[in-house]
Amino acid sequence: MPKLTWQKSSYCPEGNSCVHIATDPAGTVHLTESSDPTAAILHTSPTAFAALIRTAKEPRRA
């Protein structure tokens, strides 16, 4: 796997509860959590990641 350049979420507060994202030359999206960035790295497609972001931005329904 090529070396990934991680970017911290712009919605991250101070501390160790941040989501980091990186992409590789093949276009795969990688997600990890800052408190232990090597323990759990999720891999997904750009399409699936875009759907996740769209869903997260939707207003909550009561």
Side-chain angles (χ1 to χ4, degrees):
M1 176 189 292
K3 181 176 163 112
L4 299 173
T5 302
W6 295 96
Q7 178 180 342
K8 183 169 67 168
S9 167
S10 61
Y11 290 97
C12 180
E14 295 298 320
N16 286 336
S17 8
C18 301
V19 173
H20 290 221
I21 182 172
T23 58
D24 64 26
T28 303
V29 178
H30 307 272
L31 299 156
T32 191
E33 197 255 325
S34 61
S35 68
D36 194 358
T38 60
I41 299 175
L42 304 176
H43 313 278
T44 191
S45 70
T47 303
F49 182 67
L52 172 68
I53 297 302
R54 269 193 315 276
T55 301
K57 288 181 175 183
E58 287 178 358
R60 292 186 77 185
R61 296 180 193 154

